[in-house]
Amino acid sequence: MKYIYEQIQLITQYRYLLTLIQWDMETEMPPAAQDQTASAVSFVSEKMYDVMTNDAFISELEKYETAEETSQIERKMIEELLLDVRKMNRIPKDEYVEYQELLNYAHAIWVKAKAEADFAQFEPTLTKIIQYQKKLIEYYGYEAHPYDALLNEYERGLTVKKLDQLFSLLKERLLPLLKRIQTSGITITGDCFTTGVYSIEQQKEFCTWIAAYLGFDYDAGVLKESAHPFSMSLNKKNVRMTTHYHENNLESSISSTIHETGHSLYEQGVADFLVGTFLDEGTSLGIHESQSRFYENIVGKDIRFWEPIFPKLQAHFPDQLENISCTEFVQSMNRVQAGPIRIEADELTYPFHVMIRYEIEKMLFEEKITVSEIPNIWNKLYKEYLGLDIENDAKGVLQDVHWSMGSFGYFPTYVIGSAYASQFTHIMERDIDMDEALSSDLKQILDYLREHVHQYGKSKTADEIIREFTGELFNPEYYIAYLYEKFSKVYQLSE
Amino acid sequence: MKYIYEQIQLITQYRYLLTLIQWDMETEMPPAAQDQTASAVSFVSEKMYDVMTNDAFISELEKYETAEETSQIERKMIEELLLDVRKMNRIPKDEYVEYQELLNYAHAIWVKAKAEADFAQFEPTLTKIIQYQKKLIEYYGYEAHPYDALLNEYERGLTVKKLDQLFSLLKERLLPLLKRIQTSGITITGDCFTTGVYSIEQQKEFCTWIAAYLGFDYDAGVLKESAHPFSMSLNKKNVRMTTHYHENNLESSISSTIHETGHSLYEQGVADFLVGTFLDEGTSLGIHESQSRFYENIVGKDIRFWEPIFPKLQAHFPDQLENISCTEFVQSMNRVQAGPIRIEADELTYPFHVMIRYEIEKMLFEEKITVSEIPNIWNKLYKEYLGLDIENDAKGVLQDVHWSMGSFGYFPTYVIGSAYASQFTHIMERDIDMDEALSSDLKQILDYLREHVHQYGKSKTADEIIREFTGELFNPEYYIAYLYEKFSKVYQLSE
């Protein structure tokens, strides 16, 4: 077992280095340093590969997997390691390293293509990435559908079958709600977020404060800026997140900050004793998104949360907000308005953005479409689901960073996470006085999530967490009910 | 030779990682991540040690050192590598790794001791660091004086003998000048830098601009903030520097930015073909300081430099500067006023700050004093040279970060560098129209320094650069003449 812990120590060091390089790359690296950084990523990735695919390590893991003296937590640790190690082992080293190099350059190519709204520039690179994904599918294996192999990477056990069911349910139940809102005669604008210039310094001060207000521990974390907000954890005492500030948009920085804080609170809340066991991080993307979207939408757009702190926000932007009431402000946050950009979407149209990406990815791995067809299909689906005409590739198919990072099968976790969040909230409302917690004791909520979700890290799977927390399996009805209840109220729909 | 290049590639990767970790540690790392970061430094340092002390590498270097087919640049590369490799080889691995760990914690201990102005807190750690330095001296060896072994680490060939001569010359010639200034009846204040509040945002904007104005390439570099301004290079396309901003001090951010820009211009100016040869960085600390102090003092405090850009600065701080003339502003920058803090010192008292540190370090390695005696001696010497009473340890012996980093023998390079800068300027004035260059064509100066200094990286030693550039050996008379001429004018002293 000593040997296993030594290897975990190595893996942990290489992971720290890779994460630090990535953090630097996305927040600080000057453009001309791209080559050096790419070469460093390849270098460390190769070292990581060597540790993970070392035969002695695998046999040691297999030896202790079922040994009697192995404790329960070690069993879990070995199980998780074996999953990763076996998958890594199926990828030939040269393909793995070549792919890391491809990804290193893909980001810059995507950035340029997006800036010039030209999918054709990104197409050859995307084609190569997808070719590798198809190889991965063969290496990893699957039972029912090739795309399952990728979905499983981000949310264990997630399949096309489950997602087809979920998305057809959402289509069936949410499209009518959307239609009722669109024909309700009530129009809510977001004007209070876009009136004149919102000083970046003031936004920064407020966002820095609100992260701490939610429980973010600056002693063990950093909030910084980057083009695309994200979070990453070097370990639970070294959690990094970013937001972005736009002078003409107050909403974007606040909601991004709250969203990323949700991710960070999860990582900062992993139990201390899991450090060094390979299990000291969030268990799945779905659970991660459940935390970020819970804070962003369920906490961060609730009048009870805003009432005590709205005067503080007003004091930061007296010119723009002095004549706005807290009720109007929160109502604006909850307006429903279909738009082309996923990360700016309201809660109700959001699942449809994800659905479009899911359907395209599924078709790609079913070999039903080619890469060059993606933009047309993208635009067609946006018209079909949301009635939108997509102006150009930058506001369409090129908007997200994910594909340039090789993340196929990732998008569905956003909807899954939102749905988990509703299911969790349903139980939370039973155990906690939400009026009190949201208005004056957010720590109650954090403690509750720490107890039922955060502390476990990867020592429990997503399914285990959901079952033990809520007493049932994943159930999307809570998500639909939450959206119905919330938006019926916002748009004064009769029952 | 292929094997040697592979090892250089490895060394370069580990150096990149160590530098990146250090950059993160000093600019971003949250406090609780100290342990993780320290462990990463140890991990990578050990890898680096293993590459550097690998027997096969050393024999390969020795084989090619004198081989006929070895090109001139490769010969230089091997020579530099052998110097480092042989030194590293003399240090036992466990001592090396243990020392890296000690240094990782020393910084935080020093920070706390300084914050609480309490040398006693830092003393045990400093004692350990000095013990290791003494071991290093034995491992490295020396001819005349133990301290020479350390001085040589920062400026090759520098010895106590040379520095004793230099400092006694400076004492003999500069103390009388200082006295004349102090009794000249002319008082110049720095009030224009400390009138009210100078917005950090405005300072940031101006400093960001002035670095580019001097030639800093943001495509290949980063300017950021940290408590103590510094520069480091990941490679020539990835140069990082920091400055600091104080609301009540305009001078500090400007002069720190210009100083660090001098360092960065050097690193960004190394010839492309040296990348990957181990020679692609500044050749010595003395030459490095010659560039930073040249820009800080000789360019950055010259009226010809400021005249065209002063209106821009005024526009950033209209309330504080509208009634100040450029002449008054530059005069304030050149005021002579003995104070306790080295990094705030004027050009004339600066060498005495360094001299005090030099004398203390020399006594330490001569075993003439113990660590606990340092504060008293420090205070005594400040009284003797600069007539100052030191208020507390924070403003005295704890002010500099260097000792906590194990940098003994480093301080003298600041004076050496200032002296080099004067010697270089003497020649530059012969070749360049300085009026024109300073007021409207700084690129002339940068190109000239690139030609005579920057491009060579480590492919020439400091001595070679000085000799080939100026046609003579290092000669401190230029430094003394420069200070006499400049301050006689500022303080209207008769010849």
Side-chain angles (χ1 to χ4, degrees):
Chain A
M1 200 56 117
K2 183 164 166 283
Y3 177 75
I4 291 176
Y5 279 111
E6 282 166 9
Q7 300 309 298
I8 292 177
Q9 185 57 23
L10 274 179
I11 292 170
T12 307
Q13 291 289 9
Y14 289 126
R15 185 182 284 171
Y16 163 86
L17 292 172
L18 282 173
T19 316
L20 184 65
I21 297 170
Q22 203 190 331
W23 170 256
D24 184 72
M25 187 157 49
E26 297 193 25
T27 63
E28 205 140 277
M29 178 194 85
Q34 169 81 30
D35 285 351
Q36 183 187 32
T37 310
S39 141
V41 170
S42 301
F43 177 72
V44 183
S45 300
E46 200 176 326
K47 296 267 170 207
M48 174 78 109
Y49 182 94
D50 290 342
V51 179
M52 299 276 282
T53 58
N54 173 0
D55 287 341
F57 183 37
I58 299 175
S59 28
E60 197 76 357
L61 287 171
E62 284 170 346
K63 182 177 134 198
Y64 282 98
E65 191 181 10
T66 50
E68 216 168 283
E69 73 264 36
T70 309
S71 71
Q72 204 192 335
I73 199 78
E74 284 171 342
R75 226 175 271 269
K76 181 69 191 166
M77 168 180 108
I78 289 173
E79 188 188 311
E80 289 292 325
L81 277 164
L82 275 172
L83 270 176
D84 282 6
V85 155
R86 283 176 181 145
K87 268 189 291 195
M88 186 79 97
N89 245 295
R90 293 189 201 115
I91 310 169
K93 184 168 175 175
D94 55 342
E95 285 182 21
Y96 176 78
V97 174
E98 215 173 277
Y99 181 61
Q100 299 308 319
E101 276 166 24
L102 173 64
L103 290 187
N104 288 331
Y105 290 96
H107 183 78
I109 294 167
W110 166 74
V111 167
K112 186 166 171 288
K114 183 179 174 181
E116 297 172 16
D118 179 15
F119 180 78
Q121 287 185 35
F122 183 48
E123 194 189 314
T125 308
L126 184 58
T127 304
K128 280 186 212 158
I129 293 175
I130 291 170
Q131 275 161 358
Y132 183 82
Q133 296 293 316
K134 287 180 181 169
K135 276 194 206 169
L136 273 190
I137 289 172
E138 296 313 315
Y139 295 144
Y140 291 169
Y142 58 91
E143 283 179 17
H145 193 289
Y147 188 28
D148 291 352
L150 302 180
L151 291 167
N152 184 61
E153 281 297 276
Y154 299 102
E155 195 68 9
R156 198 170 300 160
L158 195 60
T159 59
V160 165
K161 193 176 162 200
K162 288 184 193 172
L163 282 173
D164 279 350
Q165 279 171 0
L166 173 67
F167 283 127
S168 69
L169 182 72
L170 294 181
K171 254 194 288 196
E172 183 193 316
R173 307 279 286 277
L174 297 183
L175 279 178
L177 176 61
L178 183 59
K179 178 128 268 167
R180 283 184 68 194
I181 287 172
Q182 284 166 339
T183 56
S184 68
I186 294 181
T187 310
I188 304 170
T189 75
D191 292 351
C192 62
F193 305 121
T194 55
T195 306
V197 169
Y198 296 79
S199 138
I200 303 284
E201 275 315 291
Q202 289 293 306
Q203 288 192 54
K204 214 176 270 186
E205 198 183 292
F206 185 78
C207 286
T208 303
W209 172 81
I210 207 168
Y213 180 68
L214 290 163
F216 182 75
D217 177 5
Y218 283 101
D219 198 47
V222 170
L223 168 63
K224 203 177 168 183
E225 281 173 78
S226 69
H228 307 272
F230 67 92
S231 327
M232 49 171 58
S233 167
L234 287 119
N235 79 3
K236 66 164 288 189
K237 292 185 175 169
N238 200 354
V239 173
R240 313 285 175 103
M241 63 176 180
T242 67
T243 188
H244 55 187
Y245 302 99
H246 304 295
E247 271 190 348
N248 56 359
N249 186 340
L250 177 61
E251 190 176 27
S252 184
S253 65
I254 294 177
S255 69
S256 294
T257 304
I258 299 178
H259 179 95
E260 301 306 335
T261 300
H263 284 300
S264 297
L265 292 175
Y266 185 11
E267 292 292 340
Q268 290 186 337
V270 171
D272 284 332
F273 81 96
L274 290 177
V275 173
T277 63
F278 192 73
L279 303 172
D280 58 334
E281 56 177 4
T283 194
S284 78
L285 282 182
I287 299 291
H288 242 300
E289 285 299 321
S290 79
Q291 302 307 293
S292 54
R293 293 191 59 86
F294 168 77
Y295 274 99
E296 179 190 353
N297 295 316
I298 298 178
V299 172
K301 293 179 180 166
D302 192 301
I303 183 90
R304 293 168 291 180
F305 170 72
W306 276 103
E307 247 164 8
I309 65 172
F310 188 65
K312 188 179 176 82
L313 182 66
Q314 280 179 311
H316 278 74
F317 305 100
D319 294 346
Q320 293 95 337
L321 298 181
E322 72 175 334
N323 295 318
I324 306 282
S325 71
C326 184
T327 309
E328 290 165 318
F329 177 80
V330 172
Q331 205 164 27
S332 290
M333 286 192 133
N334 286 309
R335 72 196 180 283
V336 172
Q337 193 173 21
I341 306 296
R342 178 183 59 84
I343 60 165
E344 292 169 8
D346 58 76
E347 281 183 87
L348 190 56
T349 56
Y350 190 86
F352 296 99
H353 290 267
V354 171
M355 222 178 278
I356 289 166
R357 288 152 178 79
Y358 166 71
E359 291 185 11
I360 290 174
E361 292 186 359
K362 193 173 72 166
M363 288 187 275
L364 273 170
F365 296 108
E366 284 171 344
E367 311 271 2
K368 284 194 181 150
I369 60 169
T370 64
V371 177
S372 61
E373 292 173 279
I374 298 177
N376 278 338
I377 297 170
W378 181 284
N379 298 351
K380 201 176 106 323
L381 290 172
Y382 266 86
K383 186 73 182 176
E384 187 181 327
Y385 290 146
L386 297 173
L388 295 169
D389 293 308
I390 301 301
E391 203 178 308
N392 60 43
D393 291 344
K395 293 186 176 169
V397 67
L398 290 175
Q399 68 183 266
D400 293 307
V401 70
H402 303 61
W403 289 345
S404 75
M405 298 168 72
S407 299
F408 287 85
Y410 187 120
F411 286 116
T413 65
Y414 291 125
V415 165
I416 295 281
S418 303
Y420 290 169
S422 298
Q423 188 167 348
F424 292 162
T425 306
H426 178 76
I427 297 294
M428 193 185 292
E429 283 167 344
R430 183 195 66 190
D431 293 343
I432 285 186
D433 177 347
M434 290 296 275
D435 288 352
E436 181 189 273
L438 284 169
S439 63
S440 62
D441 191 10
L442 287 163
K443 196 166 175 306
Q444 257 190 80
I445 292 176
L446 181 57
D447 287 346
Y448 186 78
L449 290 171
R450 292 254 147 110
E451 185 189 340
H452 294 286
V453 181
H454 300 181
Q455 62 162 322
Y456 298 114
K458 282 174 96 157
S459 72
K460 291 190 177 174
T461 62
D463 284 346
E464 285 167 346
I465 284 174
I466 294 163
R467 211 171 46 235
E468 294 175 24
F469 185 1
T470 70
E472 59 178 321
L473 296 174
F474 170 54
N475 181 348
E477 289 295 341
Y478 295 104
Y479 182 37
I480 293 167
Y482 159 78
L483 292 171
Y484 260 85
E485 195 188 332
K486 176 167 186 170
F487 291 103
S488 298
K489 220 161 138 189
V490 173
Y491 283 89
Q492 302 166 28
L493 307 176
S494 50
E495 292 300 304
Chain B
M1 200 54 117
K2 180 162 168 286
Y3 177 76
I4 292 176
Y5 279 111
E6 282 167 8
Q7 299 310 295
I8 292 176
Q9 185 57 24
L10 274 179
I11 293 170
T12 306
Q13 292 288 9
Y14 289 126
R15 186 181 284 170
Y16 162 87
L17 292 172
L18 282 173
T19 316
L20 184 66
I21 297 170
Q22 203 190 331
W23 169 256
D24 184 72
M25 187 157 50
E26 297 193 26
T27 63
E28 205 140 278
M29 178 194 85
Q34 169 81 30
D35 285 352
Q36 183 186 32
T37 310
S39 143
V41 170
S42 301
F43 177 72
V44 183
S45 300
E46 199 176 326
K47 297 268 169 205
M48 174 77 110
Y49 182 94
D50 290 341
V51 179
M52 299 277 282
T53 58
N54 172 0
D55 288 341
F57 183 39
I58 299 175
S59 24
E60 196 76 358
L61 286 171
E62 284 170 346
K63 182 177 134 198
Y64 282 98
E65 189 180 11
T66 51
E68 216 168 285
E69 72 266 35
T70 309
S71 71
Q72 205 191 332
I73 201 77
E74 285 172 341
R75 225 174 274 269
K76 183 66 192 166
M77 167 180 109
I78 289 172
E79 190 188 308
E80 289 293 325
L81 277 165
L82 275 171
L83 270 175
D84 282 6
V85 155
R86 282 175 180 146
K87 269 188 289 193
M88 186 79 97
N89 245 296
R90 293 191 200 113
I91 310 169
K93 184 168 175 176
D94 55 342
E95 285 183 19
Y96 176 79
V97 174
E98 215 175 276
Y99 181 61
Q100 300 308 320
E101 276 167 22
L102 173 63
L103 290 188
N104 288 331
Y105 290 96
H107 183 78
I109 295 167
W110 166 74
V111 167
K112 184 166 173 290
K114 183 177 174 184
E116 297 173 16
D118 179 14
F119 180 79
Q121 286 185 35
F122 183 49
E123 195 188 313
T125 308
L126 184 59
T127 303
K128 281 187 212 157
I129 292 175
I130 290 170
Q131 275 161 358
Y132 183 83
Q133 296 293 316
K134 286 179 181 171
K135 277 193 204 166
L136 272 189
I137 289 172
E138 296 314 316
Y139 295 143
Y140 292 168
Y142 58 92
E143 283 179 16
H145 193 287
Y147 188 27
D148 291 351
L150 302 180
L151 291 167
N152 184 62
E153 280 297 276
Y154 299 102
E155 195 68 8
R156 197 170 300 160
L158 195 61
T159 60
V160 166
K161 193 176 162 201
K162 288 183 192 172
L163 282 173
D164 279 350
Q165 279 171 359
L166 174 66
F167 284 127
S168 69
L169 182 71
L170 295 181
K171 256 193 286 196
E172 184 194 315
R173 307 280 284 280
L174 297 183
L175 279 177
L177 176 61
L178 182 58
K179 180 128 267 166
R180 283 184 67 195
I181 287 171
Q182 284 166 338
T183 56
S184 67
I186 294 181
T187 309
I188 305 171
T189 74
D191 292 351
C192 62
F193 305 120
T194 54
T195 306
V197 169
Y198 297 77
S199 137
I200 304 284
E201 275 316 290
Q202 289 292 307
Q203 289 191 54
K204 213 176 269 187
E205 197 184 292
F206 185 78
C207 287
T208 303
W209 171 82
I210 208 169
Y213 181 68
L214 290 163
F216 182 75
D217 177 5
Y218 283 102
D219 197 47
V222 169
L223 168 62
K224 202 177 169 183
E225 281 175 76
S226 69
H228 307 272
F230 68 91
S231 327
M232 49 171 57
S233 167
L234 287 120
N235 79 4
K236 63 164 291 191
K237 292 186 175 168
N238 201 353
V239 173
R240 313 285 175 104
M241 63 176 181
T242 68
T243 187
H244 54 188
Y245 302 98
H246 303 296
E247 270 191 348
N248 56 0
N249 186 340
L250 178 61
E251 190 175 27
S252 185
S253 64
I254 294 177
S255 70
S256 293
T257 304
I258 299 179
H259 179 95
E260 301 306 336
T261 300
H263 284 300
S264 296
L265 292 174
Y266 186 11
E267 292 291 340
Q268 289 185 335
V270 171
D272 284 332
F273 81 96
L274 290 177
V275 174
T277 64
F278 192 72
L279 303 172
D280 58 334
E281 57 176 2
T283 193
S284 78
L285 281 182
I287 298 292
H288 242 299
E289 286 299 321
S290 78
Q291 302 307 294
S292 55
R293 291 192 60 84
F294 168 77
Y295 274 100
E296 178 190 354
N297 294 317
I298 298 179
V299 172
K301 292 178 180 167
D302 192 303
I303 183 94
R304 294 168 292 181
F305 169 74
W306 277 103
E307 251 165 1
I309 65 173
F310 188 64
K312 186 178 177 81
L313 182 66
Q314 280 178 311
H316 279 72
F317 305 100
D319 293 346
Q320 293 96 338
L321 298 181
E322 73 175 332
N323 295 318
I324 306 284
S325 71
C326 184
T327 308
E328 290 167 317
F329 177 81
V330 172
Q331 204 163 30
S332 290
M333 285 193 134
N334 286 309
R335 73 196 180 283
V336 172
Q337 195 173 19
I341 306 297
R342 178 183 60 82
I343 60 165
E344 292 169 8
D346 59 78
E347 281 183 87
L348 191 55
T349 56
Y350 190 85
F352 296 100
H353 290 267
V354 171
M355 221 178 278
I356 288 165
R357 288 152 178 80
Y358 167 72
E359 292 185 9
I360 290 173
E361 291 186 0
K362 194 173 73 166
M363 288 187 277
L364 273 171
F365 296 109
E366 284 171 344
E367 312 271 3
K368 283 194 180 151
I369 60 170
T370 63
V371 176
S372 62
E373 292 174 279
I374 297 176
N376 279 336
I377 298 170
W378 180 285
N379 298 351
K380 202 177 107 311
L381 289 172
Y382 264 88
K383 186 74 183 174
E384 187 180 327
Y385 289 148
L386 297 174
L388 296 169
D389 293 309
I390 301 302
E391 204 177 309
N392 60 42
D393 291 344
K395 294 185 175 168
V397 67
L398 290 176
Q399 67 183 266
D400 294 307
V401 70
H402 301 62
W403 290 345
S404 76
M405 299 168 72
S407 300
F408 287 86
Y410 187 120
F411 287 117
T413 65
Y414 292 124
V415 165
I416 296 280
S418 304
Y420 290 169
S422 298
Q423 189 167 347
F424 293 163
T425 307
H426 179 76
I427 297 294
M428 193 186 291
E429 284 167 342
R430 183 196 66 191
D431 294 342
I432 284 185
D433 177 347
M434 291 295 275
D435 288 352
E436 181 189 272
L438 283 169
S439 63
S440 62
D441 190 10
L442 286 164
K443 196 166 175 305
Q444 259 190 79
I445 292 177
L446 181 57
D447 288 345
Y448 186 80
L449 290 171
R450 292 255 147 109
E451 184 189 341
H452 295 286
V453 181
H454 301 180
Q455 62 161 322
Y456 297 114
K458 281 174 96 158
S459 71
K460 290 189 177 175
T461 62
D463 284 347
E464 285 167 347
I465 284 174
I466 295 163
R467 210 172 47 236
E468 294 174 25
F469 184 1
T470 70
E472 60 178 321
L473 296 175
F474 170 54
N475 181 349
E477 287 296 341
Y478 295 104
Y479 182 38
I480 294 168
Y482 159 78
L483 292 171
Y484 261 85
E485 195 187 335
K486 175 166 187 170
F487 290 105
S488 297
K489 221 162 138 189
V490 173
Y491 283 89
Q492 301 166 27
L493 307 176
S494 50
E495 293 298 308

